Short mmCIF file of all heavy atoms in Angstrom, two decimals:
data_model
loop_
_atom_site.label_atom_id
_atom_site.label_comp_id
_atom_site.label_asym_id
_atom_site.label_seq_id
_atom_site.Cartn_x
_atom_site.Cartn_y
_atom_site.Cartn_z
N ALA Y 110 42.32 151.57 -39.38
CA ALA Y 110 41.79 150.20 -39.07
C ALA Y 110 41.31 149.53 -40.32
O ALA Y 110 41.57 148.36 -40.58
CB ALA Y 110 40.70 150.30 -38.00
N LEU Y 111 40.55 150.31 -41.17
CA LEU Y 111 40.05 149.75 -42.43
C LEU Y 111 41.21 149.32 -43.32
O LEU Y 111 41.13 148.26 -43.97
CB LEU Y 111 39.14 150.82 -43.15
CG LEU Y 111 37.79 151.01 -42.56
CD1 LEU Y 111 37.14 152.25 -43.16
CD2 LEU Y 111 36.93 149.79 -42.78
N ALA Y 112 42.23 150.15 -43.35
CA ALA Y 112 43.40 149.80 -44.23
C ALA Y 112 44.09 148.57 -43.74
O ALA Y 112 44.57 147.74 -44.52
CB ALA Y 112 44.35 151.03 -44.24
N LEU Y 113 44.15 148.41 -42.40
CA LEU Y 113 44.87 147.25 -41.86
C LEU Y 113 44.04 145.96 -41.93
O LEU Y 113 44.58 144.85 -41.95
CB LEU Y 113 45.21 147.53 -40.41
CG LEU Y 113 46.33 148.52 -40.11
CD1 LEU Y 113 46.62 148.59 -38.63
CD2 LEU Y 113 47.60 148.13 -40.85
N LYS Y 114 42.71 146.13 -42.00
CA LYS Y 114 41.85 144.97 -41.87
C LYS Y 114 42.14 143.90 -42.91
O LYS Y 114 42.25 142.73 -42.61
CB LYS Y 114 40.37 145.44 -42.05
CG LYS Y 114 39.37 144.33 -41.87
CD LYS Y 114 38.01 144.78 -42.42
CE LYS Y 114 37.15 143.55 -42.64
NZ LYS Y 114 36.02 143.93 -43.51
N ASN Y 115 42.28 144.33 -44.18
CA ASN Y 115 42.48 143.33 -45.23
C ASN Y 115 43.96 143.06 -45.56
O ASN Y 115 44.24 142.45 -46.57
CB ASN Y 115 41.71 143.79 -46.50
CG ASN Y 115 40.23 143.82 -46.22
OD1 ASN Y 115 39.71 142.94 -45.56
ND2 ASN Y 115 39.58 144.89 -46.70
N MET Y 116 44.78 143.63 -44.77
CA MET Y 116 46.23 143.48 -45.03
C MET Y 116 46.65 142.03 -44.80
O MET Y 116 46.31 141.45 -43.77
CB MET Y 116 46.99 144.43 -44.17
CG MET Y 116 48.43 144.64 -44.57
SD MET Y 116 49.15 145.79 -43.40
CE MET Y 116 49.25 147.20 -44.44
N LYS Y 117 47.37 141.43 -45.73
CA LYS Y 117 47.77 140.04 -45.57
C LYS Y 117 49.02 139.90 -44.72
O LYS Y 117 49.10 139.11 -43.83
CB LYS Y 117 48.00 139.40 -46.93
CG LYS Y 117 46.79 139.41 -47.80
CD LYS Y 117 45.94 138.16 -47.58
CE LYS Y 117 44.60 138.12 -48.32
NZ LYS Y 117 43.90 139.37 -48.49
N ARG Y 118 50.06 140.70 -45.12
CA ARG Y 118 51.34 140.61 -44.39
C ARG Y 118 51.66 141.88 -43.61
O ARG Y 118 51.22 142.96 -44.04
CB ARG Y 118 52.47 140.38 -45.37
CG ARG Y 118 52.68 138.96 -45.80
CD ARG Y 118 53.18 138.92 -47.20
NE ARG Y 118 54.23 138.00 -47.44
CZ ARG Y 118 55.38 138.31 -47.95
NH1 ARG Y 118 55.70 139.56 -48.19
NH2 ARG Y 118 56.25 137.36 -48.23
N GLY Y 119 52.39 141.67 -42.54
CA GLY Y 119 52.89 142.87 -41.81
C GLY Y 119 51.82 143.58 -40.96
O GLY Y 119 52.01 144.64 -40.49
N LYS Y 120 50.66 142.93 -40.83
CA LYS Y 120 49.61 143.52 -40.03
C LYS Y 120 50.05 143.79 -38.60
O LYS Y 120 49.81 144.85 -38.06
CB LYS Y 120 48.38 142.61 -40.07
CG LYS Y 120 47.08 143.24 -39.61
CD LYS Y 120 46.04 142.18 -39.38
CE LYS Y 120 44.81 142.39 -40.17
NZ LYS Y 120 43.85 141.28 -40.01
N GLY Y 121 50.63 142.76 -38.03
CA GLY Y 121 51.12 142.86 -36.65
C GLY Y 121 52.04 144.05 -36.46
O GLY Y 121 51.91 144.82 -35.52
#
Side-chain angles (χ1 to χ4, degrees):
Chain Y
L111 284 168
L113 287 184
K114 182 196 163 196
N115 297 320
M116 194 179 254
K117 298 272 175 325
R118 276 149 138 233
K120 195 194 235 172

